[in-house]
Amino acid sequence: MLNRIGGMRTSFFAAVSIVLFLVVGCCTTVVVHMGSPYDRYDHNRTRAIITSITTGSTEAVTRVLGDEVYRPSGSEYFLRAQYAENDSSTDILPAANVVPLFTGVSLPLSAVPVKGGRSDRDDLIDFLAEGPYAQVGIQPGETMGDTKSTRIAYAPVLDFLGAREHLSGGRDQVVRRLSSLNVVFADDVMDSRYRLRAFAGVLAFRFEKFWFILYQLPRNDHYSRLVVVPERGKAQDFPAKKPY
Amino acid sequence: MPINPHDEIVLTLLQVLGPLNGEIRLLGRVSDPVIGNPSEREVFFLIPDLHLLSPQRRQRFKYGFNHSGSRLLAGLLERIATLRDSWEASRNTKLVTIQLGDFFDLWREFPRSAKPAEIPDDACGDLRDILYRGIDRGGPCLKATMLLGNHDTKRSDPLQEIPFRYKFFNRPQDEKPFLFGTHGDAFDILETTLPDAIEEFAVYFIGTFVEPNKYPVMEWSKKTAGINKSIGNLEEAVTDPEHALEPPGGAIQVSPETPLPSFVCQEIHSPDNTANPYFQKLYRSIDIAREKDLPGQHVRVVTMGHTHKASLILCRPSGGRPMLLMDVGAWIENCTYSLAENGTAVTEPSAQLGVIHGNDARIYQIRLLQRG
């Protein structure tokens, strides 16, 4: 009798566990967080940008950005803003730093080299090749990863992003096309740069070790901007430490 | 004689070492076209395993980063950063710094949970600043490529502030890199077969008996079997190990004017002709890169850390592909080697650095001589 009661209890707890597992599993949402400018690939890092030297100035300079642009104390590259009146701060930080907020790499992804730099596609490959922990969204590293292996591994996605017809037709069609590439879709995106309502559509999917986030502007017929952020899983990856 | 970048590095290091009664010794050198570097522009500055710990943990494990009291390495790197800036301004030479992994020792720092972010801001702050953090704080910074070592993670979680890479190649003009770097743990059979948790358990709970580069209990017991010492003395033997380094002809004192022999290394003619357990695996890995037609196939120099034993091994098979293995050593534990002048063997804290410029690769030992 006691054995029977024990068996019923075991079955009951097993059934409850399975139900809980299913409920929790079904309710888990996958959210992509945008990450810092260093983790986020949102522009070709070898492409020079043009910016005014001072507010209202007609004189402009052309520059390729370095990591120092985004430090809290600001840089010589861009303007710093101060509060109009004194505040309580005792540190040396400005009230704000004027820094570029990139809107994303243009889609379809271009393979045309830029003057003095790499094509958008090749620069993205260079970023991916440095791995998900390298923090090289602003400035490429002084060493490099295995760009050829990366080009091969990410070819399905890179080719997809390079064709306008793949990016057109609305979310459902793009999702259907992407589904053949062994990607994982996110349920939500937390964009630290913009309100997502500024866009007509945002679609995020993971391939290998990175998330690819596509943006569609209102009255545009295709996703036209791309941001890539790393998936921070467990760090040790012995195969990735080998030269092949 | 015009001063070259190697001489400038040596001069810069000696500016710090001179007042400390210090000097530089040559542990290894290959100066030969076999290195295959077509560029004279980059100077690769290689920093091996440091295993930094907070002072409390250092006391608990009775081992640690050498010369921490004098801030020797931080002082050297700060001066090197000045040289880097002057080279950047001249646009002729570029200093590329690589730390070869095991920067922090998170296994020893944290007993249980993975909380790397709890390391105090000022724990080894000078080295963090000069290697990678200074760029965000407006200070001097080498912007080093930081390789991920096995001790740089806790249960596979790394310290988020460090921009880790798994490996690196130099940036060539033609997609044919001559240089490849990896921490070395991917070629260590213990590392790749035992779960991290078991290794970390062994390191932490038998901590004072386990040398930093040997982890599991079974390996430790093998080590103890080979040492005929009481348990008390054993602790010292395994936490303060000595690595016998044997530069051919003894270690020459290095100064900018000193002519150096072109080959101070172990030369072999077949990849299986060395007792080094990593050489053959690394050589084979380059073969695999060739079979897959990857950039690694062009690599002539492989640099690593992990073993804590500095060595330079040049393989030149007859009619085959050459490879130089440059294990840059460590800044923990001790090394033993003989001096070139009189053959006297010295034992001192490991403090090694690697430098490659053009077709000239060197490993230095930094010495602090006793005063008086």
Side-chain angles (χ1 to χ4, degrees):
Chain A
M1 185 66 179
L2 282 175
N3 277 347
R4 205 171 153 198
I5 292 170
M8 286 170 67
R9 272 191 191 149
T10 306
S11 303
F12 174 74
F13 286 126
V16 168
S17 300
I18 290 168
V19 169
L20 281 174
F21 177 79
L22 289 172
V23 169
V24 170
C26 290
C27 296
T28 303
T29 53
V30 181
V31 181
V32 182
H33 293 262
M34 193 52 61
S36 76
Y38 303 101
D39 285 324
R40 175 170 87 214
Y41 184 85
D42 52 18
H43 66 288
N44 180 342
R45 304 158 302 166
T46 65
R47 231 182 229 277
I49 60 170
I50 298 174
T51 179
S52 295
I53 290 176
T54 56
T55 307
S57 168
T58 53
E59 191 181 357
V61 291
T62 303
R63 50 175 62 116
V64 175
L65 301 186
D67 279 347
E68 57 274 23
V69 164
Y70 286 88
R71 66 184 170 209
S73 58
S75 72
E76 62 194 28
Y77 284 25
F78 295 102
L79 291 172
R80 299 176 176 93
Q82 304 293 346
Y83 289 116
E85 296 177 16
N86 287 341
D87 70 337
S88 62
S89 69
T90 54
D91 57 32
I92 56 164
L93 295 181
N97 294 304
V98 179
V99 292
L101 196 56
F102 287 95
T103 49
V105 183
S106 297
L107 293 176
L109 193 62
S110 168
V112 179
V114 302
K115 187 181 175 186
R118 292 185 281 264
S119 71
D120 292 355
R121 180 183 168 111
D122 282 347
D123 191 53
L124 172 57
I125 290 168
D126 191 272
F127 172 83
L128 299 171
E130 294 227 49
Y133 291 89
Q135 302 176 19
V136 286
I138 305 299
Q139 191 174 11
E142 293 175 348
T143 56
M144 64 186 289
D146 185 341
T147 49
K148 185 164 185 184
S149 290
T150 305
R151 192 180 299 130
I152 294 167
Y154 285 85
V157 164
L158 296 169
D159 292 345
F160 185 94
L161 297 172
R164 183 171 174 149
E165 61 270 25
H166 294 157
L167 303 162
S168 306
R171 181 187 179 92
D172 290 347
Q173 287 205 44
V174 175
V175 165
R176 194 164 57 248
R177 289 176 199 131
L178 277 169
S179 296
S180 63
L181 301 185
N182 198 22
V183 303
V184 175
F185 292 100
D187 298 302
D188 207 351
V189 174
M190 299 290 285
D191 194 321
S192 54
R193 309 169 308 152
Y194 305 110
R195 285 175 169 154
L196 290 182
R197 67 190 187 205
F199 302 94
V202 178
L203 174 62
F205 64 90
R206 180 168 61 78
F207 185 82
E208 299 280 335
K209 294 174 179 171
F210 290 88
W211 286 96
F212 296 78
I213 305 143
L214 312 180
Y215 294 82
Q216 183 174 2
L217 290 170
R219 293 173 294 282
N220 253 252
D221 66 347
H222 70 288
Y223 288 97
S224 63
R225 294 283 163 170
L226 168 72
V227 175
V228 180
V229 294
E231 162 76 7
R232 286 281 174 83
K234 294 294 181 185
Q236 287 298 354
D237 181 353
F238 292 119
K241 295 182 177 188
K242 296 181 176 181
Y244 56 85
Chain B
M1 193 167 63
I3 192 165
N4 65 35
H6 268 299
D7 289 337
E8 286 190 79
I9 291 274
V10 169
L11 266 175
T12 304
L13 296 174
L14 289 175
Q15 285 169 0
V16 177
L17 291 169
L20 298 171
N21 197 20
E23 63 177 35
I24 303 170
R25 291 281 169 166
L26 186 71
L27 293 182
R29 183 189 190 204
V30 170
S31 178
D32 190 270
V34 73
I35 286 178
N37 179 10
S39 172
E40 293 279 324
R41 183 162 185 266
E42 294 90 6
V43 176
F44 298 94
F45 191 76
L46 306 164
I47 303 164
D49 299 32
L50 304 182
H51 287 263
L52 303 181
L53 283 178
S54 60
Q56 297 84 353
R57 292 291 161 199
R58 183 188 169 100
Q59 198 170 11
R60 155 92 164 80
F61 287 100
K62 297 178 183 170
Y63 96 102
F65 168 58
N66 291 331
H67 301 300
S68 60
S70 63
R71 292 184 64 255
L72 177 62
L73 182 58
L76 293 169
L77 297 183
E78 282 159 14
R79 198 62 66 94
I80 290 289
T82 308
L83 177 64
R84 171 190 152 97
D85 290 345
S86 73
W87 280 348
E88 290 279 327
S90 73
R91 294 175 178 269
N92 294 324
T93 310
K94 182 170 186 59
L95 186 82
V96 180
T97 303
I98 297 106
Q99 198 278 319
L100 290 160
D102 285 358
F103 176 65
F104 264 110
D105 195 328
L106 297 188
W107 289 15
R108 287 178 169 79
E109 187 68 35
F110 297 103
R112 291 173 194 87
S113 59
K115 292 182 179 171
E118 285 184 0
I119 291 180
D121 182 69
D122 59 353
C124 310
D126 49 4
L127 285 163
R128 291 154 80 187
D129 285 345
I130 197 67
L131 283 171
Y132 59 85
R133 201 170 65 174
I135 193 70
D136 304 307
R137 300 189 173 197
C141 186
L142 290 164
K143 293 188 75 174
T145 292
M146 305 288 291
L147 292 187
L148 184 74
N150 48 311
H151 285 264
D152 286 311
T153 59
K154 176 69 184 176
R155 308 276 158 79
S156 295
D157 286 331
L159 200 59
Q160 294 291 333
E161 72 173 33
I162 303 179
F164 281 120
R165 270 83 156 178
Y166 292 119
K167 63 188 170 196
F168 80 90
F169 295 95
N170 66 299
R171 281 193 181 274
Q173 296 292 318
D174 55 1
E175 296 193 337
K176 294 179 180 176
F178 82 98
L179 177 63
F180 168 71
T182 184
H183 176 60
D185 52 340
F187 297 89
D188 182 335
I189 213 162
L190 286 174
E191 289 297 333
T192 52
T193 52
L194 276 173
D196 274 3
I198 294 175
E199 296 178 26
E200 290 172 18
F201 176 87
V203 165
Y204 194 80
F205 290 100
I206 318 172
T208 54
F209 293 115
V210 182
E211 60 183 288
N213 58 349
K214 295 283 185 291
Y215 319 112
V217 178
M218 58 184 179
E219 188 67 10
W220 172 69
S221 52
K222 261 191 277 176
K223 185 85 176 173
T224 60
I227 304 171
N228 183 23
K229 285 190 173 184
S230 68
I231 198 78
N233 289 336
L234 183 64
E235 180 176 330
E236 189 184 340
V238 296
T239 57
D240 197 22
E242 293 175 5
H243 298 292
L245 310 177
E246 293 164 356
I252 296 166
Q253 186 175 350
V254 181
S255 63
E257 305 83 37
T258 314
L260 301 172
S262 295
F263 293 92
V264 180
C265 64
Q266 181 191 352
E267 283 196 75
I268 57 177
H269 300 289
S270 169
D272 57 1
N273 209 224
T274 170
N276 186 300
Y278 292 85
F279 191 93
Q280 198 172 0
K281 292 176 191 169
L282 287 159
Y283 192 92
R284 174 69 187 136
S285 74
I286 301 299
D287 282 339
I288 296 172
R290 172 176 285 185
E291 288 159 14
K292 295 185 174 183
D293 193 25
L294 296 175
Q297 67 181 301
H298 305 287
V299 164
R300 293 284 188 89
V301 181
V302 174
T303 184
M304 63 177 277
H306 188 57
T307 69
H308 306 162
K309 183 175 179 178
S311 59
L312 203 58
I313 303 172
L314 175 61
C315 178
R316 283 204 270 199
S318 169
R321 171 177 58 80
M323 190 184 102
L324 177 69
L325 174 61
M326 191 173 183
D327 184 333
V328 186
W331 279 65
I332 59 168
E333 304 168 350
N334 291 329
C335 58
T336 304
Y337 60 96
S338 56
L339 305 178
E341 308 87 86
N342 51 24
T344 306
V346 295
T347 301
E348 56 195 20
S350 287
Q352 286 120 22
L353 295 169
V355 185
I356 304 172
H357 173 249
N359 286 323
D360 188 350
R362 305 178 184 186
I363 300 176
Y364 297 133
Q365 163 72 21
I366 305 298
R367 301 188 75 198
L368 288 188
L369 307 175
Q370 288 186 335
R371 290 177 187 277

